[in-house]
Structures are given as structure tokens and as C-alpha cells.
Amino acid sequence: MATGRTHRPATRSRGIPEATVARLPLYLRALTALSERSVPTVSSEELAAAAGVNSAKLRKDFSYLGSYGTRGVGYDVEYLVYQISRELGLTQDWPVVIVGIGNLGAALANYGGFASRGFRVAALIDADPAMAGKPVAGIPVQHSDNLEKIIQDNGVSIGVIATPAGAAQPVCDRLVAAGVTSILNFAPTVLTVPDGVDVRKVDLSIELQILAFHEQRKAGEDAHTDGTGPAAVTREEPTEAAASADQGPDGDVPAVMPA
Amino acid sequence: MATGRTHRPATRSRGIPEATVARLPLYLRALTALSERSVPTVSSEELAAAAGVNSAKLRKDFSYLGSYGTRGVGYDVEYLVYQISRELGLTQDWPVVIVGIGNLGAALANYGGFASRGFRVAALIDADPAMAGKPVAGIPVQHSDNLEKIIQDNGVSIGVIATPAGAAQPVCDRLVAAGVTSILNFAPTVLTVPDGVDVRKVDLSIELQILAFHEQRKAGEDAHTDGTGPAAVTREEPTEAAASADQGPDGDVPAVMPA
DNA sequence: CTATGTGAAACTCTTCACAGCT
DNA sequence: AGCTGTGAAGAGTTTCACATAG
């Protein structure tokens, strides 16, 4: 597989496949649940079921991390939780800032899934002066004038953008200039960033549109509003669209902006 | 990741690849923006840039829809908007219900991106009696006792789950029993659904974890990591992998260990 | 000449199936 | 025996590069 074969199976590292990385959080969640129930070990079959993937894929995924299982037995839950956490970088503290404290920003601030995974909301930032000082999820909102200072003082490298579409790029530019190198973007806009900066995007309306596409397929024969294209209807198997993954850095244009 | 069941031959009809379907909303948004600026035609190169993909991919994607371009010229914006909308099923009305009107549910109800794409929030549903009747985004919240009736009366086939994790599966079961066949899940849980039901999931903490993974990698390459060894905390080299005992005949012991 | 549409090559990801530990 | 770890085959996706239509 790898070209350079040194001594040890230097195979991995350069490459945990992106698809595998995207599933690690899934395994981690399932494992955490088992851990809380004090289950000591788990087989690839059981864990796969809990995570909603098939066992061959799970074993292959784990093989990229190393040989952490025991043949004939399974995986040690605690050990695996630790290894995956470490691989994902969750054994360290990640201060994040959320910019744009509207409905969505507030929801994110209140979202428990962050804190429980090593992410700490270091600050909430909004451009509206009226919001300044107002606590959301127990954290006082700060005005965006102080964005740069907040980033630097807290050593923030991950920023979450939950602003209206129009404000996203300017906010992004300021975050990057201040030192942020990873951005999670909820605004329906394509963000342009310099090399070395990572952007992931979550677009609610895109997810719905994908569902609509499949839904339309299912509807099949009947209602085809404007049937220009009869399109040999065929019920494609639903799927199992992988969890998230894909969705590169893009998106674009408003048309309508979130609150 | 819907639930796994077996795969079936699945009649391949007019099979648009899943990867392509996932990008159509992206193109649509870019095209809509061009349309609003009254741009009549666009080349694959320009449109690709606006959507954040490369032009070869875009042309290949469009080739699955048909030959809607003109060689030597480009694509007619209005025409493409229509064709993609139709392909995605957005020329018809999709009533959706949002279940779980907490911070996130409210944010979704207020999200403009839905309405602008043929999605209509038919109802907001919450299990808390205190929420009943209270308007969110101009729509009165209804109690979940009426879930089935609401689904049926409105002919809803797409449901959005924004409840706490524990309530997601029961809500999902009720939605499906009432006739919903597509679900967008925001709760951090794997939903089990019968064949024919499509589930897509958006998990906020997973996105952040993926960013953390890459962020960690960057830090490693920047020769930052203290010094167990030469840079790289990524396990390309033994570096710290050795320290964490990743093989050893039985070495999988470290229950917890310092970073 | 220009820019699309598309076979074919290159890659990536998934699934199979079984060798090899325990 | 039981279950992991993994080459190898298969499926799906992206990229290349150029024939072809306008």
C-alpha cells in the first residue's frame, strides 16, 4: 500500500482515510455509551450495530488506527475510547468561539455535545451592541469589535460561524487573520480562505433538498408536477447515506438568510 | 446511515450518483444568485468557481442530468435552475414538520433557507405542554399528542427531528408509523427505521471533531508539539506512538495516560 | 476557436472472505 | 472455536484529456 516501506508497517498516519475520520466520532459516541453502562468489551459486530455501520467497515477503519482489538474476544471499550479520542485530538482542550448569536448561535452555545467532547465555548460574539453582556448559555455575549483580542487571549484555533450569509465572509476573514485555522460554517455561503485553513460546512437546506430528491423518487409513478421528464422511475434503494462526511467547503449565495 | 438492511439489486434506472445529487443544491444556489443578477449564461468554469468545485466535476455532474449546455457557449442560467429544481423535486411543495422546539428547533423554524426552496413548515411539534400554542417563527407549537393527526392532515412526508437524543427514536417511530418517509435527524443518535425510509443526519459535534482531527494534524506538522521526538505528533513516525504502546504482545494496558 | 460532454484512467471507499491470533 | 486484521476484489467518484458540436 504505502510506497515507503521502512521498517515497521509505517503504513498509516499519512493516511487515515477521510471517510474513516468522519466515522470515528460515531464510534466514539457508541463506545462512550457502552462505557457508561460499564460494558468492558465489545465485538466489531456489536459496536458496528450500535454505530449504524457494518462490521467489516468498522474493522477496516480501526485497522488504520492500529491493532487495538483482541482476536477471539473483541475490543476493550475503555482503551478504544481513549485511542479514538487521542486520534481525534480530543484529549486536549479546544477553545472555540461562536460568532453570530441568533437562534442558531444560541442553540449551538447550549448544545451539550460540545463540552462533552473536549470543546469549550471560550466566547460568544455578536455584532449587535444590544446583545453585548447578555448571557446566553451562561456565557456573556461579547461585541465583535473585540473579536481579534478574544481569539488571541484564548488561543482559539476553531471558530464557528452562525451569522447571516452576508456577514460570513468578513467574519471569516477576521477570524483567520486573528489566527483561527479551522472553521465550521453554518451560513449558506461559500467561504474563501487561504491555504492551510480548514472549512467545514453544515447547510440545513441542502440536507432537505437531498431528502426531497429521494422522496420524489419514492413517490414514483404518481404526481410528477410538471412531468417534462418522465424519467424511468425506479425506486433506488434508499440508502444508508453515510453519516455526514462529504460536504466539502462550499455553499453559496443567500436568496434568503437565516435570522 | 439509515439502518442497515441488505442491499438489493436496485434497478439502475436513471441513476444519478449520490455524490452528484449532493452537489446539485450547491449548483442551484450559485445559479439562483446568478439569476438574481440577471446573468443569462454561465460557463462550467465560472459556475464551478461560484459553487466551490472544479469544472470537470461539474460538467460530469450535469452530464447525468442531460445535455443542457451549449458547446462553445456555456449554460443558460434560467434553464438550468429549472432543470435542477425539477430534478431535486423542488418544483413541488414539501410540507415538513419539526419535532422538538428547543433552541435548535426554533432556529430551524426561523431558517429562511427552507421556505425559499419549496419547503413549507407545516407544523411545529413539542412534547412540553407549556409550549403548546406558543408561536415560534409565527407558527403555533402543537403538542405531540397530535403528531399523527398533523402528519396525516398535512400530507407530510418529511420530518425534522430536533429533540433531545433520548426522545429521537420514539419520535422517529411515530413519524414513520404516521407516514413520514424521509427524516432529517439532528439528535445525536442512530435512528433505526424500516426499509424505504430515508434518514439523513446532521451532527454538530461530529463536524467539530473532524475539524479537531485536522487541526491537531496541522499543529503536529508545524513542529509545535513539545518534545517527545521530532515534530509530528501524527503517527507517521514512532514519535509518541511508541510511548502509547500500540502493539506489544499484550500491551494494551494504559487505561489512562498523560498526553 | 471555444467550451461542452464523455470515455478512460486514476483514486478512494466498501465489501468480501479468510489467514492468523487467542 | 471465535473474532480480529487485512489483502484483494468490487463499487463508486474524481480527474484527465480530447473528440465534437456550435
Side-chain angles (χ1 to χ4, degrees):
Chain A
M1 234 173 214
T3 18
R5 189 160 222 118
T6 331
H7 262 3
R8 287 240 43 158
T11 321
R12 65 260 236 205
S13 159
R14 189 81 259 167
I16 295 177
E18 199 48 42
T20 294
V21 172
R23 281 186 295 266
L24 292 182
L26 224 59
Y27 301 143
L28 184 55
R29 191 162 61 203
L31 284 164
T32 301
L34 291 172
S35 174
E36 280 163 4
R37 287 197 282 130
S38 299
V39 176
T41 63
V42 64
S43 69
S44 62
E45 204 69 57
E46 296 164 332
L47 183 55
V53 303
N54 75 48
S55 65
K57 190 186 289 181
L58 176 146
R59 288 200 303 278
K60 184 60 118 182
D61 283 341
F62 286 179
S63 80
Y64 292 116
L65 307 183
S67 293
Y68 296 148
T70 304
R71 295 175 197 232
V73 179
Y75 300 92
D76 180 277
V77 173
E78 293 303 325
Y79 184 58
L80 204 44
V81 163
Y82 171 72
Q83 289 299 344
I84 294 179
S85 294
R86 187 174 55 80
E87 197 66 57
L88 284 171
L90 304 182
T91 50
Q92 59 188 278
D93 177 68
W94 291 106
V96 307
V97 293
I98 299 174
V99 186
I101 313 302
N103 275 293
L104 182 58
L108 293 170
N110 279 293
Y111 183 56
F114 289 177
S116 67
R117 298 268 184 277
F119 298 102
R120 180 168 50 80
V121 178
L124 302 180
I125 302 175
D126 198 281
D128 180 359
M131 292 285 295
K134 208 171 133 188
V136 170
I139 302 168
V141 175
Q142 300 186 62
H143 190 267
S144 50
D145 281 352
N146 309 314
L147 188 148
E148 287 76 8
K149 182 169 182 359
I150 295 168
I151 300 293
Q152 280 144 25
D153 288 356
N154 292 279
V156 172
S157 56
I158 299 178
V160 177
I161 297 179
T163 67
Q169 184 65 58
V171 163
C172 175
D173 292 343
R174 289 180 64 188
L175 287 174
V176 171
V180 166
T181 47
S182 284
I183 290 176
L184 181 52
N185 179 33
F186 285 88
T189 314
V190 171
L191 291 180
T192 300
V193 295
D195 262 18
V197 175
D198 227 326
V199 177
R200 285 191 71 85
K201 159 175 93 81
V202 174
D203 190 314
L204 313 177
S205 102
I206 282 182
E207 297 301 324
L208 269 191
Q209 290 175 60
I210 295 171
L211 280 178
F213 172 82
H214 293 298
E215 193 58 41
Q216 176 183 231
R217 280 277 150 112
K218 288 179 206 162
E221 287 77 45
D222 20 293
H224 232 282
T225 359
D226 284 85
T228 301
V233 181
T234 308
R235 47 308 182 25
E236 164 89 43
E237 243 289 301
T239 327
E240 127 125 97
S244 69
D246 37 282
Q247 247 75 314
D250 357 60
D252 171 46
V253 177
V256 176
M257 319 198 309
Chain B
M1 62 168 39
T3 317
R5 45 40 320 253
T6 20
H7 351 39
R8 185 182 32 171
T11 326
R12 160 186 299 280
S13 61
R14 213 284 206 87
I16 297 178
E18 194 54 37
T20 294
V21 172
R23 282 186 295 267
L24 292 182
L26 225 62
Y27 301 142
L28 184 56
R29 195 160 29 182
L31 284 164
T32 301
L34 291 172
S35 173
E36 280 164 4
R37 286 196 283 130
S38 300
V39 177
T41 62
V42 64
S43 68
S44 62
E45 205 69 60
E46 296 164 332
L47 183 54
V53 304
N54 77 47
S55 64
K57 190 187 289 182
L58 177 146
R59 287 201 303 280
K60 183 60 118 182
D61 283 342
F62 286 179
S63 79
Y64 292 116
L65 307 183
S67 292
Y68 296 149
T70 303
R71 295 178 195 230
V73 179
Y75 301 90
D76 180 275
V77 173
E78 294 303 326
Y79 186 57
L80 247 196
V81 163
Y82 171 71
Q83 289 299 345
I84 294 179
S85 294
R86 187 174 55 79
E87 197 65 59
L88 284 172
L90 304 183
T91 50
Q92 59 187 280
D93 177 66
W94 292 106
V96 308
V97 293
I98 299 174
V99 186
I101 314 303
N103 275 292
L104 181 58
L108 293 170
N110 280 291
Y111 181 57
F114 290 176
S116 69
R117 298 271 185 274
F119 299 100
R120 180 169 50 81
V121 178
L124 302 181
I125 302 175
D126 199 280
D128 181 0
M131 292 286 295
K134 207 170 136 188
V136 170
I139 302 168
V141 174
Q142 301 186 61
H143 190 268
S144 48
D145 281 350
N146 310 312
L147 187 146
E148 286 78 8
K149 181 167 180 5
I150 295 169
I151 299 292
Q152 279 144 25
D153 289 356
N154 292 278
V156 173
S157 55
I158 300 178
V160 177
I161 297 179
T163 66
Q169 185 63 60
V171 164
C172 174
D173 292 343
R174 289 181 64 188
L175 287 174
V176 170
V180 165
T181 46
S182 284
I183 290 176
L184 181 51
N185 180 33
F186 284 88
T189 316
V190 173
L191 293 180
T192 299
V193 295
D195 260 19
V197 176
D198 225 330
V199 176
R200 285 192 72 84
K201 141 172 112 76
V202 174
D203 190 315
L204 312 175
S205 101
I206 282 181
E207 297 301 323
L208 269 192
Q209 290 174 59
I210 295 171
L211 279 178
F213 172 84
H214 293 297
E215 191 63 36
Q216 174 185 233
R217 185 145 293 198
K218 284 178 206 162
E221 277 162 19
D222 281 357
H224 164 299
T225 357
D226 75 306
T228 308
V233 89
T234 43
R235 347 182 29 213
E236 178 169 65
E237 293 280 42
T239 300
E240 64 93 55
S244 76
D246 62 329
Q247 35 24 31
D250 178 271
D252 25 321
V253 195
V256 182
M257 54 167 292

